[in-house]
Amino acid sequence: MADATTFTNATQILEPFRGIKRVTIEEYFTSGHRTCQGCESALVMKLMVKAAGPRTIVLGSTGCMYVANTTYYTTPWVVPWMHTQLGSSGSAALGTAAGLKSLMRKGKMKAEPINVIAFCGDGGGADMGIGAISATLTHKEYNSLILLYDNESYANTDIQLSGLTPYGAHTTFSPPGKVHRLIHRRWKKNMAGMMAAGHPECRYVATVCASYAVEMMNKVRRALTIGGPTFIHSLDPCPKGWDYDPMLSHEMGELAIETGLFPLYEVEDGVVKYYGKTKALVDGRPRKPVREYLLKQGRFAHFTEEDLAHFQSKVDEMWQQWEIPAVVPFRRVDATKAALDVK
Amino acid sequence: MSALAASARTATHTLLTGDHAVAHAAALARPAVIPVYPITPQTPVLEKLAELREAGALAGDLVPVESEHSAMATCIAASLAGVRVFTATASQGLALMHEMLHYAAGARAPVVMVNVNRTLAAPWGFWADQTDSLAQRDTGWIQLYCASPQEELDTVLQAYRVAETVLLPVMVVFEALYVSHALEPVAVPGADVVARFLPPYEPAWRLDPASPRGFGGTATPAQWRANRLAMQAAMDRAVAAVADAGERWGELTGRGYGAVEGYRLDDAELVLLAAGAIAGTARTAVDRLREAGVPAGLLRLRLFRPFPAAELTSALGMAHTVVVLDRNCSIGSGGIVAAEVRAALHAHDETDVRLFSFLAGLGGVDVSPEAVVGMARYALRPGPPPAESLLPEAV
């Protein structure tokens, strides 16, 4: 493990794993947690810290990956770990990074780079904590990775809708009824696109899905190697919240990618790079219909053909009308139309 | 007198506002991380720290954050990472921090923060009112109330010593404008004096991959209870830690401090009691009462949490009447300090003492010495004290 010296803050140089057989064997998130059967977020925690390695500090804001993982005396974390409040993943990352930098500057701690990773759920990251995360992504002098594990609901409190819950989904705050079939009618926020577009000091933003584990770990390694503040959005199928058989978590993640609903990409220094199946979609491979994904989940069981068609049309829009397909929703004004408008 | 003490006592006095005095104190304490967020009338504290840093008098990082909630979250994380931290706030900012105040105390992070007492909305205002900090009395923070820029400077340095001894956060409090923006000559001690008083922060544990630990796991009822009892025990130790820090500071600088401060108390039968700079007005009132032949004295409450019940009742001596001035109000209950004093007297079997509770100077309203004399005379009228709800608001 070498240290980068080309950056203001040295980072650990974490080369990508070249294939599954090259992945290190050591685990830093082990037994001792109490997550559900088929929990993808627990897998994300395990892969995240496996990718980061032993010189890592993990900060977790309130959510299921805090409460289910960190009962006193039974922590699965092998690396140092700290809880922070629901809205504070960004500010805890900032404080920890600033503290470590000072200790190293004063010679009170060995001046070898330490990864600081703060994780948050979709409630903590896209709702309450978004301000603090946004602020942290402007502080280029401190190295930290914010990883948002998105299981599309407040899963810790038994599945309430968040800013990242998909359109129409059944949650305990949006139970479909006879009067209103769809209670939740807001389209999911585009977190990765928002973070990438709005934070000029953030050099690396990526989306991941644990169904593609090696790619996921390599994006974590890339983020930590680049340094400064970085952001990763992980889509995590949740058997309890999404209502499907726990054995299908992996397939559910694949379908989210293959339908084009959740694109896999990274934005490094402003350059967008698509990955895996998403890249194939960009290159012209047909997207699977979103119904194949939606109808496998109980949370969409109340959808009618009309709802499915609307959902499909929104996904089509992401791919057909966005200037950078499925990443940022900007479009150029049609040149002819603009000319006519001037007259 | 040692050469050091002599140099401390002859320190040059500088004209400083209350806000700038604490900025100098914070810089002298050598914090490594200072999250900054502006709010009137605290902002000059952090602005001065930015100037001091630019001038080379402060080596720590000033970290601009996007809210007071994040300021405290950043303080906690940096403190657990193993460094000394500082921040300052007021009013709405303190209210926004509330969640993290509990967290800092429960995590046993020795954060030191200044709060400038300011009215809470609605209605909007910028004036002195102690309700913002007194409303945080159950968060597990040690609270020290100051009456002058000099005392603030001295108290911030003592606060670090106390916080790092008992592992609880400390809030140093003073009133908006009356203290925060008032200019007074302040003796700024040299770094040599501070170094003698406040050793570098060396925590017993911290976030360190060389020795991995987990902070803040979910607890069982028994574990949670044990945590709270440990905090209560630390609060009990804080009374002695505050006394020790005040005494040691006195040895070094000639300016000693205790949990309470008395004025003309020796033979006092009527005692005026207040926290903060409003006690200065009460002091003048004591002199006027004495001139008129009334054996009056003043007790200024400096330490509010932990509440120094024993020190307070002992200092009251033979007084039979206590007049409490509260620049704060717990709506539905009344003066907050009065309620605490009443509980302390009862706990120490001082049930014969007549206690009068006055809301004085709410919302920054000016309180004159004459008004305070009027309160004392009201309390000295013969006959049983009236029901409290009938007591007039003096000003």
Side-chain angles (χ1 to χ4, degrees):
Chain A
M1 187 198 317
D3 297 343
T5 52
T6 50
F7 302 97
T8 314
N9 302 314
T11 60
Q12 296 175 39
I13 302 295
L14 303 168
E15 299 290 348
F17 294 131
R18 308 277 177 204
I20 192 75
K21 289 180 182 170
R22 306 284 184 84
V23 173
T24 48
I25 199 94
E26 291 83 6
E27 300 289 356
Y28 305 103
F29 176 90
T30 61
S31 55
H33 57 87
R34 301 178 287 123
T35 57
C36 309
Q37 192 179 28
C39 174
E40 284 290 273
S41 293
L43 181 62
V44 166
M45 295 294 116
K46 173 183 142 118
L47 297 175
M48 171 187 87
V49 73
K50 191 182 188 56
R55 284 189 65 77
T56 300
I57 291 172
V58 177
L59 314 164
S61 63
T62 311
C64 51
M65 285 304 102
Y66 162 50
V67 173
N69 278 333
T70 324
T71 307
Y72 238 69
Y73 300 142
T74 63
T75 177
W77 294 101
V78 176
V79 295
W81 180 92
M82 185 190 96
H83 169 232
T84 188
Q85 280 296 46
L86 189 52
S88 302
S89 53
S91 29
L94 194 60
T96 304
L100 294 177
K101 199 172 175 184
S102 167
L103 288 168
M104 290 182 192
R105 193 168 55 215
K106 290 179 182 169
K108 288 186 173 182
M109 190 179 239
K110 210 169 171 185
E112 285 177 1
I114 295 174
N115 303 316
V116 174
I117 305 178
F119 66 75
C120 50
D122 42 301
D127 285 350
M128 194 187 281
I130 193 169
I133 292 170
S134 176
T136 296
L137 293 183
T138 68
H139 283 278
K140 66 177 171 187
E141 64 273 41
Y142 302 115
N143 296 334
S144 65
L145 164 63
I146 313 284
L147 186 140
L148 188 157
Y149 69 93
D150 174 14
N151 48 29
E152 302 196 315
S153 76
Y154 286 86
N156 190 43
T157 43
D158 203 22
I159 322 301
Q160 291 78 37
L161 61 84
S162 81
L164 295 190
T165 299
Y167 174 89
H170 178 177
T171 70
T172 60
F173 282 178
S174 55
K178 287 198 172 125
V179 180
H180 299 101
R181 186 178 68 256
L182 300 184
I183 304 292
H184 179 49
R185 291 171 167 273
R186 294 175 289 146
W187 197 253
K188 179 183 171 110
K189 286 188 199 181
N190 175 359
M191 274 301 284
M194 188 184 348
M195 295 299 112
H199 298 89
E201 307 294 357
C202 170
R203 294 186 56 207
Y204 190 82
V205 169
T207 59
V208 299
C209 179
S211 297
Y212 307 95
V214 177
E215 178 200 313
M216 184 218 151
M217 285 190 282
N218 285 341
K219 283 174 172 167
V220 169
R221 288 168 78 81
R222 186 67 193 144
L224 295 169
T225 302
I226 283 184
T230 52
F231 181 82
I232 291 180
H233 180 180
S234 174
L235 182 73
D236 301 0
C238 169
K240 183 181 173 193
W242 298 13
D243 190 11
Y244 63 82
D245 188 318
M247 72 184 287
L248 294 176
S249 289
H250 182 92
E251 287 72 11
M252 218 54 73
E254 286 185 332
L255 279 171
I257 312 305
E258 288 166 354
T259 55
L261 183 57
F262 190 80
L264 290 175
Y265 64 88
E266 68 181 17
V267 183
E268 181 175 331
D269 290 328
V271 177
V272 178
K273 182 180 171 188
Y274 294 101
Y275 272 79
K277 296 262 173 68
T278 301
K279 185 168 183 303
L281 298 183
V282 173
D283 293 342
R285 182 194 285 191
R287 280 177 276 123
K288 286 188 177 174
V290 290
R291 64 186 303 134
E292 285 188 27
Y293 171 72
L294 300 176
L295 294 182
K296 286 193 169 63
Q297 303 171 40
R299 63 178 173 160
F300 298 113
H302 54 292
F303 267 34
T304 60
E305 284 301 323
E306 185 192 346
D307 301 329
L308 291 166
H310 174 71
F311 207 107
Q312 183 67 58
S313 73
K314 293 288 284 185
V315 176
D316 291 347
E317 192 181 307
M318 285 166 57
W319 286 88
Q320 290 162 5
Q321 296 188 33
W322 293 11
E323 184 66 25
I324 301 177
V327 178
V328 281
F330 304 141
R331 296 152 217 195
R332 286 186 206 279
V333 177
D334 179 76
T336 315
K337 183 175 175 296
L340 288 170
D341 286 349
V342 171
K343 285 174 190 168
Chain B
M1 188 185 294
S2 71
L4 185 68
S7 83
R9 282 167 205 217
T10 55
T12 321
H13 284 66
T14 313
L15 263 184
L16 292 176
T17 64
D19 277 356
H20 286 178
V22 291
H24 280 279
L28 284 165
R30 310 175 301 278
V33 177
I34 306 174
V36 293
Y37 194 85
I39 183 169
T40 303
Q42 164 278 125
T43 312
V45 177
L46 302 175
E47 287 174 332
K48 178 54 76 177
L49 280 167
E51 280 177 35
L52 291 170
R53 188 174 194 282
E54 205 48 38
L58 172 68
D61 284 12
L62 259 66
V63 185
V65 289
E66 91 300 341
S67 71
E68 288 91 351
H69 188 279
S70 283
M72 188 45 59
T74 303
C75 275
I76 294 166
S79 182
L80 296 183
V83 300
R84 187 174 283 161
V85 300
F86 177 80
T87 194
T89 191
S91 181
Q92 309 296 138
L94 186 67
L96 185 59
M97 271 183 195
H98 177 76
E99 176 190 36
M100 301 315 290
L101 296 181
H102 280 282
Y103 205 99
R108 306 300 295 274
V111 178
V112 169
M113 174 170 71
V114 157
N115 180 67
V116 183
N117 282 138
R118 171 188 152 186
T119 49
L120 282 161
W124 204 250
F126 311 92
W127 324 120
D129 191 292
Q130 297 164 325
T131 312
D132 61 349
S133 57
L134 289 171
Q136 313 303 329
R137 64 189 182 274
D138 303 332
T139 56
W141 281 61
I142 294 165
Q143 290 196 2
L144 287 158
Y145 286 76
C146 302
S148 70
Q150 181 72 66
E151 185 184 359
E152 289 162 29
L153 181 145
D154 294 340
T155 302
V156 165
L157 291 163
Q158 291 164 49
Y160 278 104
R161 194 171 155 119
V162 173
E164 290 163 17
T165 301
V166 302
L167 291 182
L168 283 175
V170 182
M171 197 184 295
V172 177
V173 188
F174 51 89
E175 289 130 290
L177 310 178
Y178 289 114
V179 191
S180 66
H181 286 59
L183 271 171
E184 279 186 23
V186 175
V188 181
D192 53 342
V193 177
V194 177
R196 284 271 299 270
F197 179 74
L198 189 62
Y201 178 49
E202 301 289 353
W205 53 78
R206 63 186 189 195
L207 288 164
D208 184 357
S211 172
R213 289 170 186 274
F215 292 74
T218 57
T220 63
Q223 289 162 344
W224 199 93
R225 173 178 177 274
N227 173 284
R228 280 305 185 270
L229 293 179
M231 287 165 70
Q232 178 63 39
M235 270 290 181
D236 292 342
R237 290 197 299 279
V239 179
V242 166
D244 174 73
E247 195 175 315
R248 174 80 180 130
W249 188 248
E251 288 165 12
L252 285 170
T253 64
R255 297 185 300 275
Y257 296 89
V260 297
E261 182 190 77
Y263 177 67
R264 301 185 85 164
L265 274 183
D266 283 350
D267 58 343
E269 293 175 18
L270 176 140
V271 172
L272 300 172
L273 195 154
I278 197 171
T281 309
R283 193 179 169 107
T284 307
V286 165
D287 289 341
R288 298 202 182 158
L289 287 163
R290 287 271 179 179
E291 284 163 23
V294 179
L298 168 71
L299 190 66
R300 182 167 70 84
L301 190 64
R302 184 166 169 265
L303 178 64
F304 179 78
R305 275 290 179 275
F307 196 81
E311 289 73 7
L312 184 137
T313 44
S314 156
L316 284 177
M318 301 306 292
H320 55 64
T321 303
V322 176
V323 174
V324 183
L325 281 61
D326 269 299
R327 178 168 258 160
N328 60 76
C329 184
S330 172
I331 310 298
S333 168
I336 296 169
V337 174
E340 298 269 346
V341 172
R342 190 178 291 113
L345 292 173
H346 199 272
H348 285 78
D349 281 335
E350 299 282 353
T351 45
D352 293 341
V353 176
R354 286 153 53 99
L355 185 142
F356 291 80
S357 168
F358 286 90
L359 301 182
L362 286 191
V365 166
D366 191 28
V367 181
S368 67
E370 293 73 27
V372 180
V373 168
M375 294 177 213
R377 294 214 177 275
Y378 183 91
L380 289 172
R381 293 183 319 170
E388 270 179 77
S389 57
L390 298 178
L391 283 175
E393 185 183 337
V395 286

